[in-house]
Amino acid sequence: MSTVHPPNRRTLLKALAATATALSTGQLPAAAAGTVTADAGASGWTVQTMEAFADTLIPGERRFAGDLAVAGAVTGPGAVQAGVIQTLTSPELPLAPLLPEIATLLNARAVAYATTHLILLPLTVPAFVGLSFRHRTALVRGLFGSEDPDRVVWQMLSLLTGLAFDTAAHLDTLEAVDTHHPGLTWLGFPPSGADGLWRFADYSYGRALAALHPATTASGSPA
């Protein structure tokens, strides 16, 4: 395994800020070259580490016998099955090029945790992947503590993990529903109408709160 230096915090914070801005505006900037891709497969240490982190937040069942990244703590789909790697490695996100360094940072925390708790880690998988689900959960819980200097990193990763499962962020919503995205299916996200739009017969408050503006477009956009 080649040595990967810890990420420069200034660079990382700039990427996190750009990612947060992109998510809030919907204008995703192009990522720099050298991103990790989902094609790296489960054998890549970065991919395994990110999968294990996401599976700790939104666990799912193992994809195959011997699946180490997914702990198999529950039945049903989790963040990994819902495409968290595709979301994290999207070429439109500026965070993607830093995933190897973030994985290294997480594995360093796992080594420190294992040392403190007298846990013998395997040498054939990333340190975080080598932890049991119980210990992964305990470690991740501490990462979100106010005293952790890299808490913003883990917060951004957790946001993207949730988006992958709850919204199929890496897919068009219509495509995600039509292809039975695991997260949307598990949540019972409703199918669209025949024209590909979503409409709801019942008002949230049981009645219309205002009349439709006469200049509203056919797509529902305001005048």
Side-chain angles (χ1 to χ4, degrees):
M1 178 184 175
S2 60
T3 301
V4 180
H5 298 289
N8 179 282
R9 280 190 169 83
R10 180 185 295 273
T11 301
L12 187 53
L13 289 174
K14 288 173 62 178
L16 291 171
T19 301
T21 301
L23 293 173
S24 64
T25 63
Q27 301 298 317
L28 301 181
T35 61
V36 176
T37 65
D39 295 336
S43 62
W45 279 44
T46 296
V47 174
Q48 286 190 61
T49 303
M50 292 295 97
E51 285 183 340
F53 179 84
D55 182 67
T56 305
L57 297 175
I58 307 178
E61 60 191 15
R62 284 193 166 101
R63 296 161 291 180
F64 49 86
D67 190 353
L68 297 178
V70 176
V74 301
T75 58
V80 174
Q81 293 86 348
V84 68
I85 295 300
Q86 286 78 6
T87 297
L88 292 177
T89 60
S90 169
E92 296 175 319
L93 287 179
L95 183 62
L98 296 175
L99 289 179
E101 289 85 353
I102 294 175
T104 298
L105 183 62
L106 180 57
N107 284 318
R109 298 297 182 85
V111 170
Y113 178 93
T115 301
T116 302
H117 293 79
L118 302 178
I119 299 171
L120 183 62
L121 293 172
L123 300 178
T124 55
V125 296
F128 187 79
V129 177
L131 294 174
S132 68
F133 184 76
R134 178 172 67 87
H135 287 300
R136 291 180 190 180
T137 301
L139 171 57
V140 169
R141 185 182 298 116
L143 296 179
F144 290 95
S146 58
E147 71 284 354
D148 191 287
D150 301 303
R151 181 172 62 160
V152 65
V153 177
W154 319 122
Q155 288 175 330
M156 179 57 67
L157 288 180
S158 67
L159 170 62
L160 293 171
T161 298
L163 289 176
F165 187 86
D166 295 338
T167 71
H170 60 292
L171 297 172
D172 175 79
T173 302
L174 186 60
E175 176 189 355
V177 172
D178 289 344
T179 57
H180 306 289
H181 176 267
L184 297 187
T185 301
W186 184 264
L187 295 171
F189 194 87
S192 67
D195 57 359
L197 299 177
W198 279 265
R199 297 180 177 85
F200 302 91
D202 299 322
Y203 297 105
S204 299
Y205 291 90
R207 62 186 179 87
L209 299 181
L212 188 67
H213 191 283
T216 301
T217 66
S219 66
S221 298

